[in-house]
């Protein structure tokens, strides 16, 4: 099980910490083009993964980039939900979304992770609850509390997707903590800057809810392009579930 973490989440966490440092206010004191370096690094990793991955995941990574671009322009520039350091959309963000998505997919598909799925789910859920409660009590994060409550409510009756989205929640929480600490971006004190009855932390704890749209969007686009194969897979799954013991 440790190997699964070492192959997926640990490298991902290291990449997040290192990549975002290049765009941080701390690195800016030493080098004025850190965002360009981060962009080159993330796109290089993206294309390396894209080259080696099976065609199905290549397609989903491509969709993740497209959805990531649309989401960033909508939520950051359009709705002013958060703001990047230079008030732009850094070019390393779209491939970053795709890398996070595919790392979470591979982590959840690992055989060792599947064997210990229930245990990992319980551990991840415990971490989420502690994180969620801390932000509500000590950072007055009502917005994040509401978003996390929606996440947990949705996943309550979705056992097949639960571990994947718990994983995404924790990865996104880490990403947001690092990014806001480095001041690569910031969240306003209220949801969407104007909903004063929903005070928010910087970052809000449950913001991964919006990242879930990335996965749902990738799957929807993939299903639309491969309707026959997708229906065949659903039929096989149904037969397995209904087959007498």
């Amino acid at each position: 099980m440790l190997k699964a973490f070492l192959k997926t989440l640990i490298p991902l966490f290291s990449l997040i910490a290192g990549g975002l440092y290049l765009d941080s206010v701390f690195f800016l004191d030493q080098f004025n083009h850190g965002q360009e370096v981060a962009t080159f690094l993330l796109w290089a990793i993206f294309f390396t993964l894209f080259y080696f991955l099976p065609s199905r995941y290549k397609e989903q990574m491509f969709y993740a980039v497209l959805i990531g671009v649309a989401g960033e322009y909508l939520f950051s520039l359009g709705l002013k939900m958060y703001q990047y350091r230079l008030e732009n959309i850094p070019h390393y963000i779209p491939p970053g979304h795709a890398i996070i998505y595919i790392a979470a997919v591979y982590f959840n598909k690992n055989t060792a992770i599947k064997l210990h799925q229930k245990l990992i789910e319980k551990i991840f859920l415990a971490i989420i609850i502690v994180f969620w409660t801390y932000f509500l009590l000590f950072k007055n994060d009502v917005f994040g509390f509401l978003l996390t409550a929606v996440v947990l409510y949705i996943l309550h009756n979705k056992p097949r997707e639960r571990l994947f989205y718990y994983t995404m929640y924790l990865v996104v929480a880490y990403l947001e903590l690092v990014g806001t600490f480095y001041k690569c971006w910031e969240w306003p004190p209220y949801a969407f800057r104007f909903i004063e009855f929903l005070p928010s932390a910087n970052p809000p704890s449950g913001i991964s809810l919006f990242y879930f749209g990335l996965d749902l969007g990738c799957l929807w686009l993939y299903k639309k392009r491969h309707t026959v194969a997708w229906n065949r897979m659903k039929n096989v799954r149904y037969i397995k579930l209904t087959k007498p013991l």
Side-chain angles (χ1 to χ4, degrees), residues 37-55:
V37 177
T39 297
F40 175 82
L41 173 65
L42 268 294
W43 277 109
I45 294 172
F46 173 88
F47 283 116
T48 301
L49 292 172
F50 192 85
Y51 179 80
F52 287 105
L53 289 175
S55 58

Side-chain angles (χ1 to χ4, degrees), residues 4-25:
F5 282 89
L6 292 174
K7 288 181 178 179
T8 54
L9 297 189
I10 300 303
L12 178 63
F13 283 6
S14 300
L15 175 63
I16 289 171
L20 289 179
Y21 177 75
L22 296 173
D23 190 30
S24 70
V25 294

Side-chain angles (χ1 to χ4, degrees), residues 131-141 145:
F131 178 73
W132 177 38
T133 304
Y134 174 83
F135 266 61
L136 176 66
L137 296 179
F138 297 100
K139 295 182 179 292
N140 194 31
D141 185 25
F145 177 85

Side-chain angles (χ1 to χ4, degrees), residues 63-184:
Y63 295 150
V65 169
L66 293 181
I67 295 170
V69 170
E72 291 293 337
Y73 275 87
L74 172 63
F75 291 115
S76 181
L77 297 186
L79 299 177
K80 307 296 183 183
M81 194 175 182
Y82 52 92
Q83 186 175 72
Y84 287 100
R85 180 174 60 83
L86 299 179
E87 300 183 19
N88 64 345
I89 304 297
H91 295 314
Y92 64 79
I93 294 296
H97 284 309
I99 293 168
I100 287 172
Y101 170 73
I102 210 64
V105 168
Y106 265 80
F107 172 77
N108 282 265
K109 285 189 173 294
N110 186 278
T111 303
I113 298 302
K114 288 182 177 180
L115 288 173
H116 299 88
Q117 181 172 338
K118 295 300 181 183
L119 173 62
I120 298 172
E121 280 182 10
K122 291 178 181 179
I123 294 172
F124 282 9
L125 178 59
I127 296 172
I128 289 170
I129 290 174
V130 170
F131 178 73
W132 177 38
T133 304
Y134 174 83
F135 266 61
L136 176 66
L137 296 179
F138 297 100
K139 295 182 179 292
N140 194 31
D141 185 25
V142 178
F143 182 43
F145 177 85
L146 177 63
L147 295 177
T148 302
V150 173
V151 169
L152 298 181
Y153 175 78
I154 292 173
L155 295 180
H156 179 68
N157 293 317
K158 293 187 177 296
R160 291 188 63 255
E161 295 88 0
R162 194 175 296 149
L163 180 57
F164 175 81
Y165 287 114
Y166 283 173
T167 305
M168 285 292 289
Y169 184 104
L170 294 176
V171 170
V172 171
Y174 174 79
L175 168 74
E176 290 291 341
L177 288 171
V178 172
T180 51
F181 174 75
Y182 285 159
K183 300 186 187 302
C184 301

